[in-house]
Amino acid sequence: MREALDEARAALATDDVPIGAVVVDPNGAVVGRGRNRREADADPTAHAEVVALRQAAAARGEWRLTGCTLVVTLEPCTMCAGATVLSRVDRLVFAAFDDKAGAVGSLWDVVRDRRLNHRPEVVSGVLAEESTALLQTFFATHR
């Protein structure tokens, strides 16, 4: 989670919302990194999770990220929760819940929907206070 928080801080340089993500392979090596790049790339899909998942898939040479863990500083939105399921990661670890757009328990629970063919394990609340403080500081200066 510390590496994901480093990615989140790096997003501040492009005035993007400070959300970061990393994908860790079964051996514990980081195979994908991402930070929000919506502002930097003018791309509505450039969320930290999507960026990290794309990088991990490229590094592994396949879209199935079986055995991997996605670590992210904020509860994924519906798009990112869907990408998490579709990438077949085994585990999703996130820091803070997102009461406004969260799709892993807050508003929806996409990743644990029994109708889907893949449901990763979910671990929440890891370094949540640190992630929340980073987001609160960002939004305080943008209101």
Side-chain angles (χ1 to χ4, degrees):
M1 186 60 74
R2 295 248 178 249
E3 293 203 32
L5 284 163
D6 289 344
E7 290 294 326
R9 286 185 202 88
L12 295 169
T14 56
D15 207 32
D16 276 286
V17 177
I19 300 170
V22 294
V23 177
V24 180
D25 75 8
N27 298 318
V30 174
V31 293
R33 295 176 181 282
R35 65 183 72 115
N36 269 8
R37 297 196 48 85
R38 291 184 310 167
E39 299 297 330
D41 296 348
D43 179 355
T45 68
H47 289 206
E49 301 94 324
V50 171
V51 173
L53 290 169
R54 285 178 179 157
Q55 192 177 93
R60 290 177 51 122
E62 63 178 319
W63 63 267
R64 287 178 192 87
L65 299 176
T66 306
C68 292
T69 298
L70 173 61
V71 181
V72 62
T73 60
L74 185 66
E75 177 185 4
C77 68
T78 52
M79 175 182 70
C80 295
T84 300
V85 170
L86 294 173
S87 69
R88 307 294 196 272
V89 298
D90 285 1
R91 193 169 304 96
L92 167 64
V93 177
F94 69 89
F97 280 92
D98 183 353
D99 296 334
K100 294 182 181 178
V104 185
S106 289
L107 294 179
W108 301 280
D109 201 347
V110 172
V111 301
R112 290 179 281 223
D113 190 317
R114 293 189 180 278
R115 295 169 293 183
L116 298 175
N117 66 337
H118 180 74
R119 290 179 298 281
E121 173 189 356
V122 176
V123 177
S124 60
V126 178
L127 297 179
E129 298 81 15
E130 193 169 336
S131 178
T132 299
L134 184 61
L135 288 161
Q136 286 175 336
T137 300
F138 174 82
F139 284 116
T141 63
H142 286 77
R143 290 190 178 134

